[in-house]
Amino acid sequence: MKRAIFPGSFDPITLGHYDIIKRGIKLFDEVVVAIGINSDKNYMFSIEERKQFIEESFKDDPKVKVVTYHGLTVDFCKEIEAPFILRGLRNPADFEFEKAIAHTNRKLAEIETVFLLTAARTSYISSSIVRDVIRNNGDYKVLVPESVNIKKAL
Ligand code: ADP
């Protein structure tokens, strides 16, 4: 089975993440959306909320699994036997950042990182922009899957 992990914070999942996951399941037998737990970061949504938003979005896609993990992504890949990491690229800044991480991961383990260019219609969306819109009472719904609901979460 060809298994890839799609790691990130997903605080919250956006239409950009959604697009990459949907396209990822055409390439892999299983895409494990892996929410990294970093105790130094302050999140807007709890780990349970972030997980629930993603699970709800993909409830009809049995090829998508949602998990949480601590520590290095490559160690988690080995643990769940996922030889591929899926990442989305929005712009040159993402590319430079991701290049260093992918090289490091290759040095640490035999893991291939597979990059998908973001869809043009969602390439400007980031979780941090969504959080800003939410904080300022804007219409965040146009940037995220329907499952993301701040009334349910907060
Ligand atoms: P991180 O905390 O690692 O930045 P994110 O949750 O923001 O994680 O993103 C996880 C992955 O989703 C990364 O590969 C990132 O490039 C990708 N991504 C984020 N926003 C978008 C978008 N609008 N379109 C496509 N991919 C995206």
Side-chain angles (χ1 to χ4, degrees):
M1 144 150 11
K2 239 194 247 171
R3 178 181 288 137
I5 85 160
F6 184 47
S9 311
F10 306 103
D11 188 30
I13 183 172
T14 69
L15 289 179
H17 298 130
Y18 183 86
D19 172 69
I20 297 288
I21 298 166
K22 275 282 185 193
R23 287 158 58 205
I25 53 179
K26 292 187 191 150
L27 300 174
F28 298 103
D29 300 313
E30 187 174 281
V31 172
V32 178
V33 183
I35 310 174
I37 302 176
N38 178 347
S39 45
D40 294 340
K41 271 199 188 174
N42 275 329
Y43 298 105
M44 174 173 272
F45 295 98
S46 71
I47 193 84
E48 293 78 20
E49 287 161 351
R50 283 179 276 151
K51 189 162 183 273
Q52 195 194 321
F53 293 154
I54 306 169
E55 280 170 348
E56 173 71 20
S57 301
F58 293 98
K59 60 178 189 310
D60 299 323
D61 281 302
K63 289 169 83 177
V64 179
K65 301 274 180 304
V66 190
V67 299
T68 59
Y69 74 104
H70 287 276
L72 285 179
T73 305
V74 286
D75 289 340
F76 185 64
C77 286
K78 284 188 223 158
E79 193 185 317
I80 66 161
E81 296 180 2
F84 302 101
I85 295 177
L86 177 64
R87 297 291 283 177
L89 290 179
R90 284 167 289 192
N91 50 46
D94 269 359
F95 174 75
E96 289 301 332
F97 178 74
E98 294 290 341
K99 188 171 79 164
I101 296 179
H103 281 313
T104 307
N105 286 341
R106 283 278 295 161
K107 192 90 184 157
L108 297 178
E110 280 205 9
I111 307 274
E112 288 292 354
T113 304
V114 177
F115 297 103
L116 290 182
L117 281 186
T118 61
R121 67 180 183 287
T122 54
S123 65
Y124 64 94
I125 304 174
S126 66
S127 294
S128 66
I129 289 182
V130 171
R131 293 195 298 275
D132 264 350
V133 172
I134 291 173
R135 274 190 212 103
N136 293 289
N137 302 314
D139 183 12
Y140 68 96
K141 287 277 183 190
V142 297
L143 304 171
V144 296
E146 255 178 57
S147 62
V148 178
N149 185 336
I150 60 167
K151 285 201 195 84
K152 241 196 274 172
L154 300 175

